[in-house]
Amino acid sequence: MKKHIRILFLLALTLCPLLSRAQAESIVRGSVADAAAAPLGFATVFATTPSGKVAAGSSADENGRFELKLAPGTYTLTVSLIGYQDLIRPLELGAAGSSELGVLTLQEDTHMLEGASVRAVMPKTKLTGEGLQTNVRGSVLENVGTAADVLAKTPGLVKGQNGLEVIGKGAPLIYINGHKVSDSGELERLQSNEIQNVEVITNPGPQYDATVTAVVRIKTVRRQGEGFGFKFNASDEQSLQWAKGNDPKAGLDVNYRNGGVDYFGGINFDSGSFRQISQSEAVSWFDKGGVVNEFKNTGDIEAQDFARELFTNAGVNWQLSDNHFLGGKIEWGRMLRFDDETLIHLDVSENGTLVDRLSTVSTDALSSPAPFKLGANLYYNGVVRQKLGIDVNFDYYGTRNTTASAAAETSAMTTDADVHSDSRNENRLYAAKAVLSYPVWKGQLQLGTEETFSRRSDRYTISGVAIPASSASIREDNLAGFASYAFFLPHLGQISAGARYEHVNYDYRDELDPTEDRFRSYGNLFPTLSYAGALGPVQLMLNYSAKTRRPGYSQLSGAIRYNSRYIWQSGNARLQPQISHNIGLTAVWKWITFMTSYIRTDDAIMLWSEPYVKPGVADGVVLVQPRNIDTPYRKLTAFVNLTPTFGPWNLNYTLGATPQWLNLNLADPRTASGRRTVSFNGKPIFFAQFLNTLNLKGGWQLELGGLVQTRGYTENVYLKKAYCDITAAVQKTLLRDGSLVLRLEGSDLARSAVTDIDTDFGSHTISQINYMDTQRIKFSLRYSFNTVQSKYRGTGADSDEKARMK
């Protein structure tokens, strides 16, 4: 904390001379907005003398406000923002003082949106200097359902087998009006007609944690008025292949605003169920006294799980004045039910001879004390002297997870077994973040610091098998400082550069085996650089960044989990963070967006499986655990997004490919050298996402879409069958103000969304055919009354750290 205070003190000393110098000159203030009166953040504003010399310049803040320092005289004022026409107007300043210009309105650059029909309904996408911004208000996306539905149809995003992802970057952090989404249910509760625009940031700046590879910022429509309002949503999803697969959900959010004080809260019930049926074959090769033994497991697996969760939140936002906000919120969640059951039937052979026929029934359920999640945030956000922006956040996040597991094994050829285990982990996170921003020269300077302190304890006991119990604690402290500067040069474009330095102390203590203790201290510098400009009618962005990925705390646990007699699983306390270098290029022309990125990752973390040869461990056992790959992992992603419109028919098509390069030298006792090279190259994955929307009179909307993916390599896994998920929806908007929305939708209608895999770990291979419970139908209802959008401005200080605590 003392370091944190010293950094803020030094920042204040740096800015004080700039503040005092500004007081002696004339001040010109104003704000920038679009034709719909929505603020346009980060527009460039500069004044030139009659000779053409730039006298002063600045970047507007995120709310479109700007301020210039000028001596009395005659100037030409220019306001510029990529995607909009430049606004040029004369400016006369008399004696020193202040001048208010009011709201300066920018018009969209119409040569990027030729054609009246396209301009009327298609979602307009433009570059912002950080990423792709897609307008939702007034486009076909305005009535597609929830925020989750909007994101699935936004250029640069795809909703596939692993959920919502930024193409080529993975799962993003999502913000709504600057507030980080920590509950995915928020996306289901926010209606599409409340969204102004969505910005997909593929090169997050240094203000974000170095583990963050992509960010999505949702900006809602500014609502006026006070009083009481609420939103209610309910849905029911049913599997078409499994009667037990029924998932009801419901949520209620309330808001009351009076004067400058905004009170809000909500309660939500969530449920989920899933079933998977698989056919697998796993082969292992063991070196036993110079003789290679082969163990082969073939069989069927059926897994099903059920979960029920209750989530509540409450908070207050106080607008002290036009430029000062203070607030806080608290979130609490409780897992009401968690049941997982897996049935495994295996035939085990050694060197071609059947040695075991095994049936296993394993269960996982909630244990005591009950699991929970608790989070809190306090923030201050403001602008001092119309220039110095201050954003301060304090966060706490805590979780407890308890699981009781049992495995009953019946063998037709050897002995039966009855294994019981209990797992408990507790997590605590304390975080603080402070960001200062100030206009300097023709741009915006941003300085900040962020501190994160994480604590975790793991306890694991097991009986019925010769696996030791474990008890460990983890302490990790992350101290970071960052700086960035973005500026706009007329006729050239916007340039931004920044860097983030993180110093991490990691301390792992094994309370039962001190020889497994690990302490690491490392520091890394993560630079970012980007350029955004225009080449004729084409908008361009080029960027570079360095990122890291730290292993999740469960991946660092030394406890060995018992999955079955022949499959054990563990974390790896020796895991190191992986480091990635990213280069990207984006181009936008009319309704065509092209994006490509190249990523090189060192010490990539991948899940691994190999024979577990130790005294007292039976032959044929394999251990599954994460490990760092000792060769670079390289991946290229390229795609084009097309969003044309033909009358009431709106198209959103994405076509792309993801080739990769990965060669590994792996242990294999079958070869003379004991090793062989395995190549995960040569078969890139091609993908296509197509979304068709038909808007009809009377509030009706029809949708047909799908995601198709070819066979190919992804990391150390080969997807050996094409994936195809066909979706459809029909929606009806009711009431004069459109406050009631009914929606019926279906997924995997062709029942072809399958994920069959092959993996090669050198001395162990796996081939698996999977049938997922993805063919489902869902009905939802949403109603809103006097919805006044919450003014909550807390951004959170913990970034991606919460996700590591799972």
Side-chain angles (χ1 to χ4, degrees):
M1 186 59 69
K2 290 182 179 179
K3 290 183 179 180
H4 177 73
I5 294 173
R6 284 200 297 268
I7 292 174
L8 291 179
F9 180 68
L10 290 174
L11 295 180
L13 290 178
T14 302
L15 294 174
C16 279
L18 299 173
L19 288 170
S20 61
R21 189 174 61 197
Q23 294 175 5
E25 298 176 324
S26 297
I27 304 297
V28 178
R29 299 187 181 96
S31 61
V32 185
D34 62 14
L40 293 177
F42 311 108
T44 298
V45 184
F46 60 95
T48 55
T49 65
S51 64
K53 180 182 179 181
V54 176
S58 175
S59 291
D61 64 17
E62 63 178 5
N63 296 310
R65 297 187 297 260
F66 69 87
E67 182 178 297
L68 299 177
K69 300 176 297 181
L70 290 166
T74 301
Y75 302 93
T76 298
L77 184 72
T78 301
V79 183
S80 179
L81 182 64
I82 294 176
Y84 292 87
Q85 298 177 11
D86 287 354
L87 174 66
I88 302 174
R89 56 173 286 181
L91 178 63
E92 293 284 345
L93 290 179
S98 62
S99 177
E100 297 290 341
L101 301 182
V103 178
L104 304 180
T105 302
L106 298 185
Q107 302 296 325
E108 287 185 341
D109 199 343
T110 56
H111 76 270
M112 298 179 184
L113 301 168
E114 292 177 355
S117 61
V118 174
R119 199 166 48 240
V121 293
M122 84 172 196
K124 309 174 188 67
T125 299
K126 61 177 180 290
L127 291 176
T128 63
E130 289 186 289
L132 290 170
Q133 184 184 92
T134 299
N135 288 339
V136 176
R137 187 72 164 172
S139 79
V140 64
L141 296 180
E142 185 174 2
N143 295 305
V144 298
T146 67
D149 298 317
V150 170
L151 296 184
K153 298 172 174 61
T154 298
L157 291 167
V158 63
K159 186 178 181 180
Q161 306 167 56
N162 299 318
L164 187 71
E165 294 185 352
V166 173
I167 299 176
K169 298 289 186 176
L173 282 185
I174 301 176
Y175 290 82
I176 300 176
N177 292 336
H179 153 65
K180 189 174 69 177
V181 174
S182 56
D183 167 30
S184 60
E186 289 187 62
L187 299 178
E188 296 292 339
R189 299 190 292 272
L190 180 63
Q191 297 185 37
S192 57
N193 61 7
E194 297 178 274
I195 299 175
Q196 180 72 36
N197 58 57
V198 174
E199 185 175 9
V200 180
I201 300 174
T202 56
N203 190 50
Q207 68 269 33
Y208 299 101
D209 189 286
T211 61
V212 178
T213 58
V215 172
V216 171
R217 292 198 297 225
I218 299 174
K219 187 175 182 179
T220 61
V221 177
R222 177 171 292 185
R223 305 283 188 182
Q224 302 298 326
E226 298 187 343
F228 174 78
F230 71 87
K231 293 185 295 183
F232 173 78
N233 68 85
S235 66
D236 189 44
E237 184 176 83
Q238 175 61 51
S239 169
L240 298 181
Q241 300 295 325
W242 181 41
K244 294 181 180 180
N246 180 259
D247 302 328
K249 300 179 182 180
L252 176 66
D253 291 277
V254 298
N255 185 281
Y256 177 74
R257 181 176 297 166
N258 184 18
V261 183
D262 178 32
Y263 306 93
F264 60 91
I267 182 169
N268 297 274
F269 170 78
D270 193 9
S271 65
S273 61
F274 187 73
R275 184 176 69 157
Q276 175 180 336
I277 299 175
S278 303
Q279 298 171 354
S280 69
E281 178 182 278
V283 186
S284 303
W285 293 273
F286 297 76
D287 187 344
K288 193 172 183 179
V291 178
V292 177
N293 277 19
E294 178 191 88
F295 274 83
K296 178 183 291 186
N297 298 337
T298 59
D300 302 322
I301 303 171
E302 180 179 352
Q304 59 186 35
D305 62 69
F306 305 89
R308 302 286 186 269
E309 187 174 13
L310 187 67
F311 183 86
T312 64
N313 68 89
V316 60
N317 179 81
W318 184 14
Q319 185 173 353
L320 304 173
S321 65
D322 288 342
N323 295 325
H324 299 278
F325 298 84
L326 182 69
K329 69 172 181 177
I330 187 168
E331 300 171 323
W332 177 86
R334 170 66 60 86
M335 184 68 71
L336 303 177
R337 177 191 179 189
F338 173 73
D339 294 305
D340 181 278
E341 183 179 80
T342 304
L343 308 177
I344 304 176
H345 301 284
L346 286 181
D347 284 347
V348 182
S349 62
E350 181 178 5
N351 299 323
T353 302
L354 185 68
V355 295
D356 202 355
R357 178 160 288 162
L358 191 67
S359 295
T360 303
V361 179
S362 62
T363 59
D364 297 297
L366 296 180
S367 182
S368 60
F372 73 89
K373 300 176 183 178
L374 178 64
N377 169 257
L378 293 174
Y379 80 92
Y380 165 77
N381 179 279
V383 179
V384 178
R385 295 187 178 181
Q386 303 296 319
K387 280 196 171 186
L388 177 61
I390 302 175
D391 189 359
V392 180
N393 280 264
F394 300 94
D395 281 85
Y396 169 80
Y397 184 69
T399 69
R400 179 175 62 212
N401 301 295
T402 54
T403 305
S405 304
E409 295 183 334
T410 304
S411 174
M413 303 180 68
T414 58
T415 59
D416 297 343
D418 194 10
V419 179
H420 293 268
S421 64
D422 285 282
S423 173
R424 173 176 174 174
N425 65 70
E426 295 185 355
N427 301 277
R428 289 173 292 132
L429 165 72
Y430 308 92
K433 183 176 182 179
V435 183
L436 303 180
S437 58
Y438 193 82
V440 175
W441 190 48
K442 298 174 186 265
Q444 192 84 1
L445 174 66
Q446 189 177 80
L447 302 171
T449 177
E450 182 173 10
E451 291 82 32
T452 303
F453 307 94
S454 302
R455 304 292 182 262
R456 179 183 175 98
S457 63
D458 273 303
R459 304 289 183 269
Y460 181 71
T461 59
I462 187 168
S463 62
V465 67
I467 293 178
S470 67
S471 179
S473 62
I474 298 174
R475 297 168 58 95
E476 183 175 287
D477 298 338
N478 186 333
L479 307 179
F482 55 87
S484 65
Y485 182 66
F487 62 97
F488 184 86
L489 296 177
H491 313 297
L492 180 60
Q494 178 173 306
I495 300 173
S496 62
R500 180 185 181 97
Y501 179 80
E502 295 188 354
H503 182 81
V504 178
N505 290 325
Y506 169 78
D507 189 3
Y508 176 88
R509 302 286 180 178
D510 191 318
E511 298 173 6
L512 302 181
D513 184 3
T515 63
E516 293 295 324
D517 289 354
R518 296 286 180 273
F519 177 80
R520 303 190 195 107
S521 180
Y522 46 88
N524 297 97
L525 184 69
F526 301 97
T528 61
L529 180 66
S530 69
Y531 162 78
L535 184 62
V538 180
Q539 304 171 64
L540 296 172
M541 182 172 68
L542 180 66
N543 57 64
Y544 162 79
S545 65
K547 297 292 180 181
T548 187
R549 175 191 164 197
R550 300 186 185 90
Y553 290 117
S554 62
Q555 293 180 301
L556 295 168
S557 173
I560 296 179
R561 273 29 178 192
Y562 185 88
N563 291 344
S564 72
R565 184 170 299 185
Y566 298 99
I567 303 175
W568 297 1
Q569 188 167 354
S570 172
N572 183 355
R574 295 177 174 84
L575 279 179
Q576 297 283 346
Q578 68 179 36
I579 302 293
S580 298
H581 297 273
N582 311 265
I583 299 175
L585 171 67
T586 304
V588 179
W589 180 69
K590 295 184 179 180
W591 40 264
I592 302 174
T593 300
F594 171 78
M595 183 179 293
T596 183
S597 66
Y598 173 80
I599 302 175
R600 173 194 165 115
T601 303
D602 296 315
D603 296 320
I605 300 173
M606 296 184 185
L607 195 62
W608 209 258
S609 179
E610 62 184 359
Y612 190 51
V613 181
K614 277 197 171 184
V617 177
D619 292 342
V621 174
V622 296
L623 181 66
V624 180
Q625 65 176 176
R627 66 161 56 172
N628 293 110
I629 302 302
D630 57 8
T631 59
Y633 171 59
R634 296 170 293 155
K635 182 175 72 170
L636 176 69
T637 301
F639 70 91
V640 60
N641 175 258
L642 312 172
T643 56
T645 297
F646 304 97
W649 180 26
N650 302 274
L651 290 74
N652 187 336
Y653 288 6
T654 300
L655 308 171
T658 56
Q660 69 171 33
W661 295 267
L662 178 64
N663 294 296
L664 300 176
N665 186 254
L666 305 177
D668 188 342
R670 295 174 295 170
T671 65
S673 64
R675 305 191 70 84
R676 65 183 172 93
T677 298
V678 179
S679 176
F680 300 90
N681 309 323
K683 295 184 179 179
I685 294 176
F686 295 90
F687 61 91
Q689 180 172 266
F690 58 93
L691 302 167
N692 301 272
T693 304
L694 190 64
N695 289 321
L696 303 176
K697 294 181 179 180
W700 288 97
Q701 182 168 294
L702 306 179
E703 301 172 23
L704 177 65
L707 174 65
V708 179
Q709 182 175 284
T710 66
R711 295 175 293 177
Y713 286 108
T714 173
E715 294 189 350
N716 59 338
V717 175
Y718 178 66
L719 304 178
K720 61 181 181 179
K721 190 171 183 179
Y723 174 92
C724 181
D725 180 12
I726 305 299
T727 62
V730 57
Q731 180 174 295
K732 172 65 173 176
T733 301
L734 300 170
L735 304 182
R736 181 177 299 178
D737 60 354
S739 57
L740 178 62
V741 179
L742 306 178
R743 183 177 175 89
L744 181 66
E745 56 191 294
S747 60
D748 191 17
L749 299 180
R751 204 184 178 191
S752 52
V754 296
T755 307
D756 298 344
I757 64 169
D758 284 339
T759 59
D760 188 345
F761 303 107
S763 58
H764 182 59
T765 64
I766 300 174
S767 180
Q768 191 162 304
I769 299 173
N770 302 305
Y771 302 94
M772 307 292 191
D773 175 37
T774 51
Q775 189 177 49
R776 291 184 164 228
I777 190 169
K778 177 181 176 181
F779 175 76
S780 61
L781 174 153
R782 300 188 304 276
Y783 176 73
S784 57
F785 170 76
N786 191 29
T787 52
V788 180
Q789 191 63 40
S790 172
K791 294 182 178 181
Y792 198 79
R793 291 174 173 239
T795 58
D798 56 327
S799 195
D800 203 35
E801 184 70 10
K802 292 180 182 178
R804 299 178 64 208
M805 293 185 168
K806 294 181 179 179

